[in-house]
PDB file of all heavy atoms in Angstrom:
ATOM      1  N   ARG N 227       9.245   1.737   5.126  1.00 97.00           N
ATOM      2  CA  ARG N 227       9.962   2.413   4.117  1.00 97.00           C
ATOM      3  C   ARG N 227      11.090   3.377   4.681  1.00 97.00           C
ATOM      4  O   ARG N 227      12.038   3.551   4.040  1.00 97.00           O
ATOM      5  CB  ARG N 227       9.002   3.292   3.286  1.00 97.00           C
ATOM      6  CG  ARG N 227       8.118   2.416   2.432  1.00 97.00           C
ATOM      7  CD  ARG N 227       8.903   1.730   1.329  1.00 97.00           C
ATOM      8  NE  ARG N 227       7.903   0.977   0.560  1.00 97.00           N
ATOM      9  CZ  ARG N 227       8.135  -0.224   0.113  1.00 97.00           C
ATOM     10  NH1 ARG N 227       9.332  -0.931   0.433  1.00 97.00           N
ATOM     11  NH2 ARG N 227       7.285  -0.835  -0.645  1.00 97.00           N
ATOM     12  N   GLN N 228      10.924   3.912   5.919  1.00 97.00           N
ATOM     13  CA  GLN N 228      11.886   4.767   6.476  1.00 97.00           C
ATOM     14  C   GLN N 228      13.120   3.988   7.088  1.00 97.00           C
ATOM     15  O   GLN N 228      14.220   4.600   7.241  1.00 97.00           O
ATOM     16  CB  GLN N 228      11.259   5.620   7.505  1.00 97.00           C
ATOM     17  CG  GLN N 228      10.443   6.656   6.975  1.00 97.00           C
ATOM     18  CD  GLN N 228       9.753   7.552   8.078  1.00 97.00           C
ATOM     19  OE1 GLN N 228       9.905   7.238   9.220  1.00 97.00           O
ATOM     20  NE2 GLN N 228       8.993   8.474   7.738  1.00 97.00           N
ATOM     21  N   ASN N 229      12.949   2.700   7.306  1.00 97.00           N
ATOM     22  CA  ASN N 229      14.027   1.961   7.974  1.00 97.00           C
ATOM     23  C   ASN N 229      14.855   1.270   6.769  1.00 97.00           C
ATOM     24  O   ASN N 229      14.372   0.607   5.886  1.00 97.00           O
ATOM     25  CB  ASN N 229      13.373   0.780   8.790  1.00 97.00           C
ATOM     26  CG  ASN N 229      14.411  -0.071   9.492  1.00 97.00           C
ATOM     27  OD1 ASN N 229      15.572  -0.221   8.971  1.00 97.00           O
ATOM     28  ND2 ASN N 229      14.031  -0.619  10.611  1.00 97.00           N
ATOM     29  N   PRO N 230      16.097   1.615   6.825  1.00 97.00           N
ATOM     30  CA  PRO N 230      17.079   1.111   5.744  1.00 97.00           C
ATOM     31  C   PRO N 230      17.021  -0.437   5.615  1.00 97.00           C
ATOM     32  O   PRO N 230      17.141  -0.984   4.413  1.00 97.00           O
ATOM     33  CB  PRO N 230      18.441   1.599   6.022  1.00 97.00           C
ATOM     34  CG  PRO N 230      18.149   2.797   6.964  1.00 97.00           C
ATOM     35  CD  PRO N 230      16.935   2.507   7.691  1.00 97.00           C
ATOM     36  N   ALA N 231      16.835  -1.113   6.657  1.00 97.00           N
ATOM     37  CA  ALA N 231      16.749  -2.613   6.578  1.00 97.00           C
ATOM     38  C   ALA N 231      15.553  -3.194   5.914  1.00 97.00           C
ATOM     39  O   ALA N 231      15.580  -4.333   5.366  1.00 97.00           O
ATOM     40  CB  ALA N 231      16.833  -3.133   7.992  1.00 97.00           C
ATOM     41  N   THR N 232      14.488  -2.382   5.855  1.00 96.00           N
ATOM     42  CA  THR N 232      13.150  -2.860   5.267  1.00 96.00           C
ATOM     43  C   THR N 232      12.694  -1.973   4.200  1.00 96.00           C
ATOM     44  O   THR N 232      11.601  -2.168   3.576  1.00 96.00           O
ATOM     45  CB  THR N 232      12.155  -2.953   6.375  1.00 96.00           C
ATOM     46  OG1 THR N 232      11.942  -1.630   7.017  1.00 96.00           O
ATOM     47  CG2 THR N 232      12.469  -3.963   7.416  1.00 96.00           C
ATOM     48  N   ALA N 233      13.397  -0.963   3.824  1.00 96.00           N
ATOM     49  CA  ALA N 233      12.939   0.079   2.836  1.00 96.00           C
ATOM     50  C   ALA N 233      12.645  -0.522   1.416  1.00 96.00           C
ATOM     51  O   ALA N 233      11.734  -0.207   0.762  1.00 96.00           O
ATOM     52  CB  ALA N 233      14.023   1.122   2.583  1.00 96.00           C
ATOM     53  N   GLY N 234      13.390  -1.666   1.131  1.00 95.00           N
ATOM     54  CA  GLY N 234      13.175  -2.305  -0.211  1.00 95.00           C
ATOM     55  C   GLY N 234      12.242  -3.447  -0.261  1.00 95.00           C
ATOM     56  O   GLY N 234      11.956  -4.104  -1.226  1.00 95.00           O
ATOM     57  N   THR N 235      11.599  -3.681   0.895  1.00 95.00           N
ATOM     58  CA  THR N 235      10.711  -4.845   1.011  1.00 95.00           C
ATOM     59  C   THR N 235       9.458  -4.689   0.223  1.00 95.00           C
ATOM     60  O   THR N 235       8.946  -3.560   0.185  1.00 95.00           O
ATOM     61  CB  THR N 235      10.338  -5.080   2.584  1.00 95.00           C
ATOM     62  OG1 THR N 235      11.612  -5.297   3.277  1.00 95.00           O
ATOM     63  CG2 THR N 235       9.480  -6.307   2.706  1.00 95.00           C
ATOM     64  N   ARG N 236       8.972  -5.716  -0.452  1.00 95.00           N
ATOM     65  CA  ARG N 236       7.759  -5.630  -1.101  1.00 95.00           C
ATOM     66  C   ARG N 236       6.723  -5.603  -0.178  1.00 95.00           C
ATOM     67  O   ARG N 236       6.450  -6.511   0.633  1.00 95.00           O
ATOM     68  CB  ARG N 236       7.631  -6.838  -2.140  1.00 95.00           C
ATOM     69  CG  ARG N 236       6.422  -6.709  -2.957  1.00 95.00           C
ATOM     70  CD  ARG N 236       6.580  -7.624  -4.180  1.00 95.00           C
ATOM     71  NE  ARG N 236       5.302  -7.798  -4.988  1.00 95.00           N
ATOM     72  CZ  ARG N 236       4.895  -6.900  -5.798  1.00 95.00           C
ATOM     73  NH1 ARG N 236       5.629  -5.667  -5.938  1.00 95.00           N
ATOM     74  NH2 ARG N 236       3.798  -6.924  -6.326  1.00 95.00           N
ATOM     75  N   LEU N 237       5.842  -4.506  -0.243  1.00 96.00           N
ATOM     76  CA  LEU N 237       4.699  -4.322   0.702  1.00 96.00           C
ATOM     77  C   LEU N 237       3.350  -4.437  -0.028  1.00 96.00           C
ATOM     78  O   LEU N 237       3.181  -3.674  -1.047  1.00 96.00           O
ATOM     79  CB  LEU N 237       4.819  -2.937   1.415  1.00 96.00           C
ATOM     80  CG  LEU N 237       5.930  -2.588   2.151  1.00 96.00           C
ATOM     81  CD1 LEU N 237       5.851  -1.206   2.799  1.00 96.00           C
ATOM     82  CD2 LEU N 237       6.189  -3.650   3.258  1.00 96.00           C
ATOM     83  N   ILE N 238       2.437  -5.292   0.398  1.00 96.00           N
ATOM     84  CA  ILE N 238       1.156  -5.370  -0.209  1.00 96.00           C
ATOM     85  C   ILE N 238       0.103  -5.149   0.829  1.00 96.00           C
ATOM     86  O   ILE N 238       0.044  -5.813   1.883  1.00 96.00           O
ATOM     87  CB  ILE N 238       0.978  -6.743  -0.910  1.00 96.00           C
ATOM     88  CG1 ILE N 238       2.009  -6.939  -1.983  1.00 96.00           C
ATOM     89  CG2 ILE N 238      -0.386  -6.850  -1.441  1.00 96.00           C
ATOM     90  CD1 ILE N 238       2.038  -8.300  -2.597  1.00 96.00           C
ATOM     91  N   ALA N 239      -0.673  -4.208   0.631  1.00 97.00           N
ATOM     92  CA  ALA N 239      -1.883  -3.926   1.505  1.00 97.00           C
ATOM     93  C   ALA N 239      -3.038  -5.022   1.197  1.00 97.00           C
ATOM     94  O   ALA N 239      -3.384  -5.183  -0.025  1.00 97.00           O
ATOM     95  CB  ALA N 239      -2.544  -2.523   1.207  1.00 97.00           C
ATOM     96  N   VAL N 240      -3.480  -5.539   2.205  1.00 95.00           N
ATOM     97  CA  VAL N 240      -4.573  -6.587   2.117  1.00 95.00           C
ATOM     98  C   VAL N 240      -5.714  -6.021   2.929  1.00 95.00           C
ATOM     99  O   VAL N 240      -5.546  -6.043   4.141  1.00 95.00           O
ATOM    100  CB  VAL N 240      -4.177  -7.949   2.518  1.00 95.00           C
ATOM    101  CG1 VAL N 240      -5.304  -8.947   2.412  1.00 95.00           C
ATOM    102  CG2 VAL N 240      -2.914  -8.567   1.669  1.00 95.00           C
ATOM    103  N   THR N 241      -6.724  -5.504   2.416  1.00 95.00           N
ATOM    104  CA  THR N 241      -7.648  -4.733   3.129  1.00 95.00           C
ATOM    105  C   THR N 241      -9.063  -4.925   2.615  1.00 95.00           C
ATOM    106  O   THR N 241      -9.394  -5.317   1.422  1.00 95.00           O
ATOM    107  CB  THR N 241      -7.269  -3.312   2.992  1.00 95.00           C
ATOM    108  OG1 THR N 241      -8.211  -2.466   3.736  1.00 95.00           O
ATOM    109  CG2 THR N 241      -7.134  -2.832   1.560  1.00 95.00           C
ATOM    110  N   GLY N 242     -10.022  -4.530   3.421  1.00 95.00           N
ATOM    111  CA  GLY N 242     -11.424  -4.382   3.051  1.00 95.00           C
ATOM    112  C   GLY N 242     -11.873  -3.094   2.386  1.00 95.00           C
ATOM    113  O   GLY N 242     -12.918  -2.987   1.891  1.00 95.00           O
ATOM    114  N   TYR N 243     -10.920  -2.242   2.359  1.00 92.00           N
ATOM    115  CA  TYR N 243     -11.095  -0.888   1.709  1.00 92.00           C
ATOM    116  C   TYR N 243     -10.770  -0.949   0.257  1.00 92.00           C
ATOM    117  O   TYR N 243      -9.550  -1.017  -0.101  1.00 92.00           O
ATOM    118  CB  TYR N 243     -10.200   0.203   2.458  1.00 92.00           C
ATOM    119  CG  TYR N 243     -10.421   0.353   3.959  1.00 92.00           C
ATOM    120  CD1 TYR N 243      -9.367   0.058   4.848  1.00 92.00           C
ATOM    121  CD2 TYR N 243     -11.672   0.648   4.478  1.00 92.00           C
ATOM    122  CE1 TYR N 243      -9.495   0.289   6.154  1.00 92.00           C
ATOM    123  CE2 TYR N 243     -11.869   0.737   5.890  1.00 92.00           C
ATOM    124  CZ  TYR N 243     -10.772   0.544   6.679  1.00 92.00           C
ATOM    125  OH  TYR N 243     -10.909   0.687   8.013  1.00 92.00           O
ATOM    126  N   GLY N 244     -11.860  -0.936  -0.548  1.00 93.00           N
ATOM    127  CA  GLY N 244     -11.588  -1.264  -1.897  1.00 93.00           C
ATOM    128  C   GLY N 244     -11.927  -0.084  -2.860  1.00 93.00           C
ATOM    129  O   GLY N 244     -11.903  -0.413  -4.189  1.00 93.00           O
ATOM    130  N   GLN N 245     -12.218   0.997  -2.436  1.00 95.00           N
ATOM    131  CA  GLN N 245     -12.482   2.215  -3.401  1.00 95.00           C
ATOM    132  C   GLN N 245     -11.119   2.671  -4.039  1.00 95.00           C
ATOM    133  O   GLN N 245     -10.084   2.392  -3.526  1.00 95.00           O
ATOM    134  CB  GLN N 245     -12.937   3.330  -2.561  1.00 95.00           C
ATOM    135  CG  GLN N 245     -14.240   3.065  -1.865  1.00 95.00           C
ATOM    136  CD  GLN N 245     -15.390   2.903  -2.889  1.00 95.00           C
ATOM    137  OE1 GLN N 245     -15.537   3.572  -3.822  1.00 95.00           O
ATOM    138  NE2 GLN N 245     -16.467   2.086  -2.464  1.00 95.00           N
ATOM    139  N   GLU N 246     -11.179   3.303  -5.139  1.00 96.00           N
ATOM    140  CA  GLU N 246     -10.086   3.746  -5.900  1.00 96.00           C
ATOM    141  C   GLU N 246      -9.214   4.587  -4.988  1.00 96.00           C
ATOM    142  O   GLU N 246      -7.963   4.620  -5.052  1.00 96.00           O
ATOM    143  CB  GLU N 246     -10.415   4.413  -7.199  1.00 96.00           C
ATOM    144  CG  GLU N 246      -9.277   4.961  -8.106  1.00 96.00           C
ATOM    145  CD  GLU N 246      -8.283   3.897  -8.387  1.00 96.00           C
ATOM    146  OE1 GLU N 246      -8.631   2.648  -8.422  1.00 96.00           O
ATOM    147  OE2 GLU N 246      -7.161   4.236  -8.959  1.00 96.00           O
ATOM    148  N   GLN N 247      -9.846   5.567  -4.264  1.00 96.00           N
ATOM    149  CA  GLN N 247      -9.118   6.404  -3.346  1.00 96.00           C
ATOM    150  C   GLN N 247      -8.359   5.688  -2.330  1.00 96.00           C
ATOM    151  O   GLN N 247      -7.225   6.161  -1.837  1.00 96.00           O
ATOM    152  CB  GLN N 247      -9.983   7.517  -2.778  1.00 96.00           C
ATOM    153  CG  GLN N 247     -11.005   7.049  -1.752  1.00 96.00           C
ATOM    154  CD  GLN N 247     -12.329   6.823  -2.435  1.00 96.00           C
ATOM    155  OE1 GLN N 247     -12.590   6.716  -3.725  1.00 96.00           O
ATOM    156  NE2 GLN N 247     -13.378   6.880  -1.582  1.00 96.00           N
ATOM    157  N   ASP N 248      -8.837   4.507  -1.865  1.00 95.00           N
ATOM    158  CA  ASP N 248      -8.100   3.662  -0.935  1.00 95.00           C
ATOM    159  C   ASP N 248      -6.960   2.970  -1.444  1.00 95.00           C
ATOM    160  O   ASP N 248      -5.847   2.943  -0.885  1.00 95.00           O
ATOM    161  CB  ASP N 248      -9.069   2.529  -0.439  1.00 95.00           C
ATOM    162  CG  ASP N 248     -10.364   3.003   0.182  1.00 95.00           C
ATOM    163  OD1 ASP N 248     -10.306   3.991   1.065  1.00 95.00           O
ATOM    164  OD2 ASP N 248     -11.417   2.484  -0.015  1.00 95.00           O
ATOM    165  N   ARG N 249      -7.028   2.567  -2.737  1.00 95.00           N
ATOM    166  CA  ARG N 249      -5.891   2.060  -3.517  1.00 95.00           C
ATOM    167  C   ARG N 249      -4.743   3.148  -3.645  1.00 95.00           C
ATOM    168  O   ARG N 249      -3.614   2.817  -3.378  1.00 95.00           O
ATOM    169  CB  ARG N 249      -6.249   1.487  -4.807  1.00 95.00           C
ATOM    170  CG  ARG N 249      -5.090   0.777  -5.516  1.00 95.00           C
ATOM    171  CD  ARG N 249      -5.491   0.370  -6.938  1.00 95.00           C
ATOM    172  NE  ARG N 249      -5.495   1.657  -7.871  1.00 95.00           N
ATOM    173  CZ  ARG N 249      -4.351   2.198  -8.192  1.00 95.00           C
ATOM    174  NH1 ARG N 249      -3.135   1.752  -7.826  1.00 95.00           N
ATOM    175  NH2 ARG N 249      -4.475   3.383  -8.874  1.00 95.00           N
ATOM    176  N   LEU N 250      -5.168   4.324  -4.074  1.00 97.00           N
ATOM    177  CA  LEU N 250      -4.263   5.413  -4.224  1.00 97.00           C
ATOM    178  C   LEU N 250      -3.563   5.867  -2.961  1.00 97.00           C
ATOM    179  O   LEU N 250      -2.339   6.080  -2.840  1.00 97.00           O
ATOM    180  CB  LEU N 250      -4.914   6.638  -4.932  1.00 97.00           C
ATOM    181  CG  LEU N 250      -5.445   6.474  -6.231  1.00 97.00           C
ATOM    182  CD1 LEU N 250      -6.267   7.694  -6.722  1.00 97.00           C
ATOM    183  CD2 LEU N 250      -4.259   6.322  -7.191  1.00 97.00           C
ATOM    184  N   ARG N 251      -4.322   5.870  -1.797  1.00 96.00           N
ATOM    185  CA  ARG N 251      -3.771   6.167  -0.512  1.00 96.00           C
ATOM    186  C   ARG N 251      -2.795   5.081  -0.154  1.00 96.00           C
ATOM    187  O   ARG N 251      -1.664   5.517   0.345  1.00 96.00           O
ATOM    188  CB  ARG N 251      -4.931   6.263   0.424  1.00 96.00           C
ATOM    189  CG  ARG N 251      -4.374   6.802   1.801  1.00 96.00           C
ATOM    190  CD  ARG N 251      -5.411   7.149   2.758  1.00 96.00           C
ATOM    191  NE  ARG N 251      -4.864   7.525   3.975  1.00 96.00           N
ATOM    192  CZ  ARG N 251      -5.372   7.372   5.214  1.00 96.00           C
ATOM    193  NH1 ARG N 251      -6.602   6.871   5.435  1.00 96.00           N
ATOM    194  NH2 ARG N 251      -4.786   7.766   6.383  1.00 96.00           N
ATOM    195  N   ALA N 252      -3.043   3.849  -0.331  1.00 96.00           N
ATOM    196  CA  ALA N 252      -2.145   2.790  -0.092  1.00 96.00           C
ATOM    197  C   ALA N 252      -0.788   2.971  -0.780  1.00 96.00           C
ATOM    198  O   ALA N 252       0.279   2.809  -0.205  1.00 96.00           O
ATOM    199  CB  ALA N 252      -2.738   1.501  -0.266  1.00 96.00           C
ATOM    200  N   ILE N 253      -0.950   3.230  -2.059  1.00 96.00           N
ATOM    201  CA  ILE N 253       0.250   3.458  -2.924  1.00 96.00           C
ATOM    202  C   ILE N 253       1.135   4.623  -2.452  1.00 96.00           C
ATOM    203  O   ILE N 253       2.342   4.432  -2.311  1.00 96.00           O
ATOM    204  CB  ILE N 253      -0.086   3.479  -4.418  1.00 96.00           C
ATOM    205  CG1 ILE N 253      -0.859   2.224  -4.908  1.00 96.00           C
ATOM    206  CG2 ILE N 253       1.155   3.763  -5.232  1.00 96.00           C
ATOM    207  CD1 ILE N 253      -0.143   0.907  -4.786  1.00 96.00           C
ATOM    208  N   GLN N 254       0.373   5.618  -2.163  1.00 96.00           N
ATOM    209  CA  GLN N 254       1.072   6.846  -1.660  1.00 96.00           C
ATOM    210  C   GLN N 254       1.720   6.550  -0.247  1.00 96.00           C
ATOM    211  O   GLN N 254       2.753   7.246  -0.034  1.00 96.00           O
ATOM    212  CB  GLN N 254       0.173   8.093  -1.599  1.00 96.00           C
ATOM    213  CG  GLN N 254      -0.360   8.550  -2.974  1.00 96.00           C
ATOM    214  CD  GLN N 254      -1.587   9.516  -2.815  1.00 96.00           C
ATOM    215  OE1 GLN N 254      -2.225   9.633  -1.790  1.00 96.00           O
ATOM    216  NE2 GLN N 254      -1.779  10.259  -4.024  1.00 96.00           N
ATOM    217  N   ALA N 255       1.129   5.724   0.516  1.00 96.00           N
ATOM    218  CA  ALA N 255       1.783   5.451   1.895  1.00 96.00           C
ATOM    219  C   ALA N 255       2.970   4.578   1.744  1.00 96.00           C
ATOM    220  O   ALA N 255       3.716   4.500   2.703  1.00 96.00           O
ATOM    221  CB  ALA N 255       0.712   4.803   2.739  1.00 96.00           C
ATOM    222  N   GLY N 256       3.220   3.978   0.537  1.00 96.00           N
ATOM    223  CA  GLY N 256       4.428   3.225   0.425  1.00 96.00           C
ATOM    224  C   GLY N 256       4.140   1.707   0.023  1.00 96.00           C
ATOM    225  O   GLY N 256       5.092   0.998  -0.156  1.00 96.00           O
ATOM    226  N   PHE N 257       2.928   1.350  -0.122  1.00 97.00           N
ATOM    227  CA  PHE N 257       2.646  -0.018  -0.498  1.00 97.00           C
ATOM    228  C   PHE N 257       2.950  -0.150  -1.961  1.00 97.00           C
ATOM    229  O   PHE N 257       2.726   0.740  -2.839  1.00 97.00           O
ATOM    230  CB  PHE N 257       1.191  -0.375  -0.234  1.00 97.00           C
ATOM    231  CG  PHE N 257       0.884  -0.657   1.207  1.00 97.00           C
ATOM    232  CD1 PHE N 257       0.306   0.324   1.915  1.00 97.00           C
ATOM    233  CD2 PHE N 257       1.224  -1.888   1.791  1.00 97.00           C
ATOM    234  CE1 PHE N 257       0.020   0.180   3.349  1.00 97.00           C
ATOM    235  CE2 PHE N 257       0.850  -2.105   3.082  1.00 97.00           C
ATOM    236  CZ  PHE N 257       0.301  -1.168   3.916  1.00 97.00           C
ATOM    237  N   ASP N 258       3.414  -1.363  -2.424  1.00 95.00           N
ATOM    238  CA  ASP N 258       3.586  -1.684  -3.796  1.00 95.00           C
ATOM    239  C   ASP N 258       2.378  -2.052  -4.464  1.00 95.00           C
ATOM    240  O   ASP N 258       2.237  -1.940  -5.749  1.00 95.00           O
ATOM    241  CB  ASP N 258       4.653  -2.807  -3.991  1.00 95.00           C
ATOM    242  CG  ASP N 258       6.025  -2.408  -3.419  1.00 95.00           C
ATOM    243  OD1 ASP N 258       6.622  -1.432  -3.908  1.00 95.00           O
ATOM    244  OD2 ASP N 258       6.515  -3.049  -2.416  1.00 95.00           O
ATOM    245  N   ASP N 259       1.384  -2.758  -3.719  1.00 94.00           N
ATOM    246  CA  ASP N 259       0.134  -3.047  -4.349  1.00 94.00           C
ATOM    247  C   ASP N 259      -0.998  -3.034  -3.289  1.00 94.00           C
ATOM    248  O   ASP N 259      -0.708  -2.874  -2.111  1.00 94.00           O
ATOM    249  CB  ASP N 259       0.326  -4.419  -4.937  1.00 94.00           C
ATOM    250  CG  ASP N 259      -0.591  -4.651  -6.192  1.00 94.00           C
ATOM    251  OD1 ASP N 259      -1.719  -3.862  -6.381  1.00 94.00           O
ATOM    252  OD2 ASP N 259      -0.345  -5.482  -6.968  1.00 94.00           O
ATOM    253  N   HIS N 260      -2.200  -3.176  -3.779  1.00 95.00           N
ATOM    254  CA  HIS N 260      -3.370  -3.165  -2.922  1.00 95.00           C
ATOM    255  C   HIS N 260      -4.346  -4.212  -3.281  1.00 95.00           C
ATOM    256  O   HIS N 260      -4.796  -4.263  -4.462  1.00 95.00           O
ATOM    257  CB  HIS N 260      -4.022  -1.607  -3.191  1.00 95.00           C
ATOM    258  CG  HIS N 260      -5.227  -1.470  -2.513  1.00 95.00           C
ATOM    259  ND1 HIS N 260      -6.539  -1.714  -3.016  1.00 95.00           N
ATOM    260  CD2 HIS N 260      -5.535  -1.019  -1.284  1.00 95.00           C
ATOM    261  CE1 HIS N 260      -7.348  -1.375  -2.215  1.00 95.00           C
ATOM    262  NE2 HIS N 260      -6.847  -0.955  -1.096  1.00 95.00           N
ATOM    263  N   LEU N 261      -4.626  -5.157  -2.391  1.00 96.00           N
ATOM    264  CA  LEU N 261      -5.426  -6.281  -2.665  1.00 96.00           C
ATOM    265  C   LEU N 261      -6.643  -6.113  -1.745  1.00 96.00           C
ATOM    266  O   LEU N 261      -6.459  -5.892  -0.526  1.00 96.00           O
ATOM    267  CB  LEU N 261      -4.805  -7.521  -2.438  1.00 96.00           C
ATOM    268  CG  LEU N 261      -3.612  -7.870  -3.290  1.00 96.00           C
ATOM    269  CD1 LEU N 261      -2.933  -9.198  -2.976  1.00 96.00           C
ATOM    270  CD2 LEU N 261      -3.935  -7.846  -4.768  1.00 96.00           C
ATOM    271  N   VAL N 262      -7.884  -6.395  -2.301  1.00 96.00           N
ATOM    272  CA  VAL N 262      -9.121  -6.292  -1.466  1.00 96.00           C
ATOM    273  C   VAL N 262      -9.509  -7.632  -1.025  1.00 96.00           C
ATOM    274  O   VAL N 262      -9.532  -8.721  -1.787  1.00 96.00           O
ATOM    275  CB  VAL N 262     -10.270  -5.522  -2.322  1.00 96.00           C
ATOM    276  CG1 VAL N 262     -11.570  -5.427  -1.572  1.00 96.00           C
ATOM    277  CG2 VAL N 262      -9.764  -4.363  -2.749  1.00 96.00           C
TER     278      VAL N 262
END
């Protein structure tokens, strides 16, 4: 997100962390979505 060349790239977290707070943390970190 900080790199101008990749700032607009669609980012999807694919993770084993599936709690609501994990999803929120991923979105706050800059991911567009969170898949478990």
Side-chain angles (χ1 to χ4, degrees):
R227 291 294 184 221
Q228 290 179 353
N229 183 330
T232 57
T235 301
R236 183 160 171 78
L237 302 179
I238 300 177
V240 180
T241 178
Y243 303 120
Q245 302 286 329
E246 180 62 15
Q247 66 264 21
D248 300 319
R249 187 190 72 75
L250 291 172
R251 185 171 178 209
I253 300 304
Q254 290 171 344
F257 285 98
D258 296 300
D259 210 340
H260 176 267
L261 302 177
V262 179

